[in-house]
Amino acid sequence: MYGLIWRLLPGPVPVKAILALALLAGAAWLLWYVVFPWADPYMPFNDGAVDTGSGAGG
C-alpha cells in the first residue's frame, strides 16, 4: 500500500518525501483533533472498575 501511495505522488524523490510527510502530518492532525475527540465518549478507558467506597471489608 505504501508503495502505491509513493508511486502516485508526483515529482522527484525530494518532492515525494515532502508530500509524504505532509500527508502523514495531515492524517495525524485529523486523528488528533477530529476522530479521537469524537470517539472519546464511546471509549471505556476512564470507567473505574474498582469501587473506592467503604464496603463490607471496611
Side-chain angles (χ1 to χ4, degrees):
M1 179 173 162
Y2 298 115
L4 174 66
I5 294 171
W6 186 258
R7 285 191 301 271
L8 289 176
L9 291 175
V13 173
V15 173
K16 286 184 178 190
I18 291 171
L19 288 174
L21 288 174
L23 285 172
L24 183 64
W29 182 90
L30 185 70
L31 285 171
W32 194 265
Y33 290 106
V34 177
V35 176
F36 294 154
W38 169 80
D40 185 43
Y42 303 107
M43 295 295 157
F45 300 133
N46 291 331
D47 293 346
V50 178
D51 186 18
T52 58
S54 60

